[in-house]
Amino acid sequence: MTYCSIETLNKAQKRIVAHKNGPALVIAGAGSGKTRVITHRVAQLIHSGVPASSILLLTFTNKAADEMTQRVGRAINNSTDQNKIIHGTFHSVGNRFLRQHAKLLDYKNNFSILDTSDSKDMIKAAIAETMGKPGKFFPKAAVLQNLFSLAFNRNGSQDMILTVPYHKRNFHLDQLIFSDYPHFEEYLETIIKVLAAYRKKKKRGQVMDFDDLLENWLELLVVNGEELPLCRQINQILVDEYQDTNKVQAEILLLLSGQQNNLMVVGDDAQSIYSWRGADFGNMLEFPEKYKAVTYYMEENYRSSPEILDAANQSINYNTRQFEKNLFSSLPVGEKPIVHHVWSSEDESELVLKSILGYRDQEIPLNEMSVLYRNHVQSAVLQVKLTHAGIPFVIHSGVKFFEQAHIKDITAFLKVLYNPLDEISWMRLLRLLPGIGNNTAFRIFSVFLDQQAVRLTKENDSLNKLIPKKALHSWNVLQECFQKMLEGKISPSNMIGIIYQNFYRDVLFSSFENALQRETDVRYLEEFAVNYDKLETFLNELSLVGSSILTDLESEQHDNQEALTLTTIHQAKGLEWDVVIVIGLTEGLFPHQRSLETEEQIEEERRLFYVAMTRAKRHLLLTAPLISSSYFKGASQRSRFISELPDGSINKVVHKLDDYSYITRRSSTQFYF
């Protein structure tokens, strides 16, 4: 028996919704209506007599879970049943289990949950407890927080939970550091001790961080699974975005599904792009064999034109580890994707600007246009050009390039050179020195105010007596940096190089988990500054760009104001626009240089390219600069993803070097200090 609204589904969707019992894998291609299928599946289960309270719906955001259950309520016209569905993220449902049964793990049911800030503060306390005052370049608490979480999400397992006591579990942290963070190898033994101290403090204080919600839930299921009332209550499990699950989440599902094995997982292996945060691509590939599951395919795309899908299919077919599928569309014929071969990133930005203006002339609103890129750094030049052209833009779900912490740190040095009494910049700069907090920084700045000048010399007794002993070395290095920057005519670009190489690099690698990516950003800023011959002009440009960008919240508050979207491809997943422009298709940038070591990494980069292409509904532009930046190794040829597209699936435009009038200026700057 079915309810009437199922008739609105296509044949493939109907088969999935009507699935009886047992494990099922749904390969839901991009734009194929997976949310609609999941909600209809839940509605059909309830309509056929399955109690709503026995259905578990797991998603990756609480917002998505709430929206799905509301749609179920509308479909079955029963808000009471809608509210009985157990739904939420893995973490929120894990919390629900633990609130009922925490005593089985020697926790009280009123345990507290640490947010990110609380967790960081407890790690700081664990550092102090373990080693007193850490060395100058010992990783900061925020860096350790990311390391601990990544090790757990990659390596958490039933075996470790059964054989290793809670406070001794380090989830092969040593392997993670050796492979991904070799600059921390000298601190490995101490880092493991800090982790043990952190875990002891959490247990002693009856608190859990977000990873504990999964770890302790898994332990609860391993030791007591069949005895838990919630486990006996759950009869049907549906999981959205299964390709993004990690090893721990997969093991939780295995235990939850139990003997009834009524587990349906929905996802798209071609959109698995989050291995860097612990997602395990193998969970989806191994599911059919592991569960002896029925596999369904959703291949009809309701978003993109046939031409865009044809190019996307051609690209992803180069991957060998995947479920073979072929997306198709019944939408009207459109234009083929256009690949622009340009000379440089400057030419690329000029082309993007002209294209956006051209689409506006076709009456396509800015809200229906997006520029996608592999890394935020690639949008810096474009942000400047859009600002000068008066085109409003919003950077989606990410910090603006020029407002990232490490970029603001670097520009603080330049700002105090330009304006020696800039309090905000001095405070930011001084707090980078070990042992200097807000109070000491303000006392140092007060000396500058009293003297109405900045004299960073050993003869300045009023100043030197305020410098803590642990900051003396860094203070002396800072003085040397300023002296170098004031010698002769030093350009803004050279200033950035002096600051970074002599002072800031050590700060960066001890403060940020993704230091290598941030180093790339700083080097890009250095090269970007080459285009400005005066410090004043450069700083004014940065301020102008920063003030012109709408945040996500501001964009939502000004619904009537059109704004172009700039976003990384990772942040664009799940979204769509009429016009999508993918920039930076240069080897070493996309695919990224750090993803060229193994075929597995390259295939994930190709999946990322596939995600970018399938965000477009009507128009897809791909730009491939031959030279993107001298700092990106391997950035001397266009991306392999461009060459893999058959000529018949794209329109190619090759721009000559003299198509653009941009000339790089390399001049010096005179300073008065």
Side-chain angles (χ1 to χ4, degrees):
M1 185 169 83
T2 61
Y3 65 104
C4 61
S5 61
I6 197 174
E7 299 306 322
T8 62
L9 304 177
N10 65 36
K11 290 182 179 179
Q13 293 170 338
K14 287 179 181 178
R15 285 194 293 270
I16 297 164
V17 170
H19 175 78
K20 298 301 181 182
N21 288 316
L25 170 65
V26 178
I27 309 296
S32 62
K34 71 176 177 62
T35 300
R36 192 160 178 256
V37 165
I38 292 172
T39 55
H40 278 71
R41 168 68 177 166
V42 175
Q44 175 64 17
L45 287 171
I46 295 173
H47 186 77
S48 64
V50 176
S53 59
S54 71
I55 298 173
L56 171 61
L57 174 59
L58 287 166
T59 64
F60 273 80
T61 67
N62 284 314
K63 181 180 178 182
D66 290 340
E67 289 177 351
M68 285 187 187
T69 54
Q70 288 170 10
R71 290 172 66 169
V72 170
R74 290 194 295 270
I76 62 176
N77 195 27
N78 187 332
S79 59
T80 302
D81 274 348
Q82 164 195 326
N83 295 329
K84 291 180 181 178
I85 299 168
I86 304 171
H87 66 281
T89 64
F90 278 88
H91 293 85
S92 64
V93 175
N95 178 54
R96 182 169 176 173
F97 269 80
L98 291 166
R99 290 297 175 190
Q100 292 189 22
H101 307 293
K103 292 180 181 179
L104 296 173
L105 300 177
D106 296 325
Y107 280 93
K108 295 179 181 179
N109 290 346
N110 65 340
F111 65 85
S112 300
I113 298 176
L114 300 173
D115 62 20
T116 302
S117 177
D118 294 334
S119 172
K120 185 168 63 176
D121 288 342
M122 186 169 281
I123 292 173
K124 287 180 182 177
I127 293 172
E129 184 178 298
T130 303
M131 58 188 304
K133 294 182 179 179
K136 179 182 176 184
F137 301 122
F138 187 78
K140 300 290 189 295
V143 176
L144 293 180
Q145 186 179 49
N146 284 322
L147 288 177
F148 298 162
S149 181
L150 186 57
F152 165 72
N153 283 288
R154 282 188 181 178
N155 303 314
S157 67
Q158 295 184 44
D159 291 341
M160 183 171 292
I161 284 174
L162 284 171
T163 58
V164 182
Y166 175 81
H167 68 280
K168 291 185 177 181
R169 297 172 195 158
N170 61 48
F171 303 106
H172 305 297
L173 184 61
D174 53 346
Q175 295 178 12
L176 176 65
I177 289 177
F178 290 146
S179 62
D180 292 16
Y181 304 93
H183 48 286
F184 291 146
E185 284 184 22
E186 63 180 297
Y187 304 116
L188 175 59
E189 185 177 343
T190 306
I191 290 173
I192 290 176
K193 289 180 180 179
V194 170
L195 174 57
Y198 172 55
R199 294 176 75 83
K200 286 181 180 178
K201 292 175 77 67
K202 286 190 292 182
K203 197 66 176 279
R204 186 172 63 233
Q206 290 288 296
V207 298
M208 300 185 195
D209 60 22
F210 291 125
D211 289 330
D212 286 320
L213 295 176
L214 296 185
E215 181 182 344
N216 290 328
W217 185 16
L218 179 58
E219 182 171 355
L220 196 65
L221 293 172
V222 169
V223 179
N224 305 281
E226 295 181 0
E227 303 171 12
L228 302 178
L230 264 178
C231 285
R232 293 198 298 268
Q233 176 182 328
I234 294 171
N235 177 266
Q236 295 280 347
I237 304 173
L238 292 95
V239 185
D240 188 21
E241 303 287 5
Y242 186 69
Q243 77 280 349
D244 295 335
T245 55
N246 60 36
K247 185 176 181 180
V248 176
Q249 290 162 333
E251 294 199 356
I252 286 172
L253 290 172
L254 181 63
L255 293 168
L256 275 178
S257 57
Q259 295 180 350
Q260 292 178 324
N261 220 11
N262 291 327
L263 173 62
M264 176 179 283
V265 300
V266 183
D268 183 6
D269 59 299
Q271 297 187 70
S272 179
I273 56 175
Y274 294 114
S275 65
W276 50 274
R277 68 183 188 194
D280 190 339
F281 180 63
N283 287 346
M284 195 156 193
L285 292 183
E286 296 163 6
F287 190 90
E289 180 62 27
K290 183 176 182 179
Y291 284 88
K292 307 304 178 185
V294 177
T295 301
Y296 297 97
Y297 286 83
M298 294 170 56
E299 297 175 292
E300 183 170 0
N301 176 288
Y302 293 93
R303 174 191 301 150
S304 305
S305 68
E307 290 74 17
I308 291 173
L309 293 181
D310 177 53
N313 287 331
Q314 299 277 5
S315 174
I316 200 64
N317 281 342
Y318 276 85
N319 279 8
T320 57
R321 297 181 69 234
Q322 64 170 326
F323 293 101
E324 291 187 12
K325 55 186 159 309
N326 188 60
L327 294 189
F328 65 92
S329 173
S330 300
L331 295 175
V333 172
E335 67 178 22
K336 292 180 181 179
I338 303 174
V339 177
H340 289 275
H341 287 207
V342 295
W343 178 252
S344 69
S345 57
E346 277 289 335
D347 300 339
E348 178 180 61
S349 296
E350 197 71 44
L351 171 69
V352 170
L353 177 60
K354 290 179 180 179
S355 299
I356 290 166
L357 294 173
Y359 285 121
R360 287 186 77 180
D361 290 342
Q362 298 177 36
E363 299 186 351
I364 299 177
L366 287 176
N367 292 340
E368 281 294 335
M369 301 185 213
S370 179
V371 179
L372 309 184
Y373 35 80
R374 179 64 175 78
N375 292 306
H376 269 306
V377 65
Q378 296 169 247
S379 69
V381 174
L382 180 59
Q383 290 179 33
V384 173
K385 290 200 177 292
L386 292 171
T387 300
H388 284 299
I391 295 178
F393 57 95
V394 55
I395 296 184
H396 176 70
S397 298
V399 179
K400 310 152 191 176
F401 175 78
F402 294 109
E403 293 191 6
Q404 296 175 101
H406 53 299
I407 299 299
K408 288 178 73 70
D409 286 346
I410 293 289
T411 55
F413 286 85
L414 304 183
K415 287 181 178 180
V416 299
L417 272 175
Y418 180 66
N419 175 12
L421 297 181
D422 182 336
E423 178 180 353
I424 298 298
S425 296
W426 266 119
M427 292 290 285
R428 187 180 190 97
L429 187 160
L430 291 168
R431 288 196 298 266
L432 297 176
L433 277 64
I436 295 183
N438 285 330
N439 292 335
T440 303
F442 184 74
R443 288 199 295 271
I444 293 172
F445 180 73
S446 296
V447 172
F448 299 159
L449 282 179
D450 292 341
Q451 297 177 354
Q452 283 297 295
V454 177
R455 290 181 292 170
L456 303 182
T457 65
K458 294 181 180 179
E459 290 72 34
N460 192 333
D461 293 334
S462 299
L463 183 61
N464 291 331
K465 67 182 182 181
L466 294 174
I467 307 301
K469 186 175 181 179
K470 65 187 302 184
L472 278 176
H473 175 75
S474 296
W475 179 253
N476 291 332
V477 172
L478 187 66
Q479 291 187 53
E480 293 172 4
C481 285
F482 280 118
Q483 290 171 2
K484 288 181 180 179
M485 289 189 288
L486 291 171
E487 292 173 356
K489 296 180 178 181
I490 307 296
S491 69
S493 179
N494 288 338
M495 287 181 176
I496 294 170
I498 290 170
I499 294 163
Y500 184 69
Q501 293 301 330
N502 293 278
F503 180 86
Y504 192 71
R505 189 177 191 276
D506 289 335
V507 174
L508 186 77
F509 275 83
S510 64
S511 301
F512 298 103
E513 177 267 339
N514 57 341
L516 288 173
Q517 175 56 47
R518 292 176 187 259
E519 181 176 54
T520 299
D521 292 347
V522 173
R523 288 176 168 175
Y524 187 93
L525 181 72
E526 182 181 352
E527 183 165 310
F528 177 75
V530 166
N531 305 318
Y532 299 89
D533 55 5
K534 292 183 179 180
L535 182 59
E536 177 184 10
T537 306
F538 178 63
L539 293 176
N540 286 343
E541 190 79 288
L542 299 191
S543 298
L544 179 65
V545 173
S547 64
S548 70
I549 304 172
L550 292 173
T551 65
D552 285 343
L553 178 60
E554 290 169 338
S555 180
E556 290 174 5
Q557 292 173 341
H558 296 82
D559 289 336
N560 294 328
Q561 181 176 355
E562 287 187 27
L564 172 74
T565 296
L566 306 185
T567 177
T568 63
I569 303 167
H570 284 100
Q571 294 287 357
K573 187 172 175 292
L575 303 176
E576 59 185 43
W577 296 269
D578 278 348
V579 176
V580 168
I581 304 173
V582 186
I583 65 174
L585 283 157
T586 305
E587 199 75 5
L589 272 179
F590 195 7
H592 197 278
Q593 181 66 29
R594 292 196 300 273
S595 299
L596 300 179
E597 296 179 1
T598 66
E599 189 62 31
E600 184 176 344
Q601 291 175 321
I602 293 172
E603 290 204 355
E604 178 156 336
E605 290 287 291
R606 192 176 285 110
R607 293 195 294 270
L608 190 63
F609 182 53
Y610 175 84
V611 168
M613 297 176 77
T614 53
R615 299 311 94 199
K617 293 191 284 188
R618 297 165 53 197
H619 306 282
L620 176 62
L621 274 68
L622 309 170
T623 62
L626 183 62
I627 297 176
S628 185
S629 169
S630 61
Y631 285 110
F632 295 108
K633 295 180 181 179
S636 59
Q637 60 183 2
R638 296 181 174 97
S639 171
R640 68 189 68 192
F641 301 150
I642 291 295
S643 60
E644 288 171 355
L645 295 174
D647 289 341
S649 67
I650 58 173
N651 287 324
K652 183 166 63 176
V653 180
V654 179
H655 298 266
K656 298 178 182 178
L657 180 59
D658 57 3
D659 284 352
Y660 299 93
S661 59
Y662 174 77
I663 300 175
T664 301
R665 294 168 293 165
R666 301 182 182 272
S667 306
S668 58
T669 304
Q670 179 149 7
F671 298 95
Y672 301 92
F673 192 80

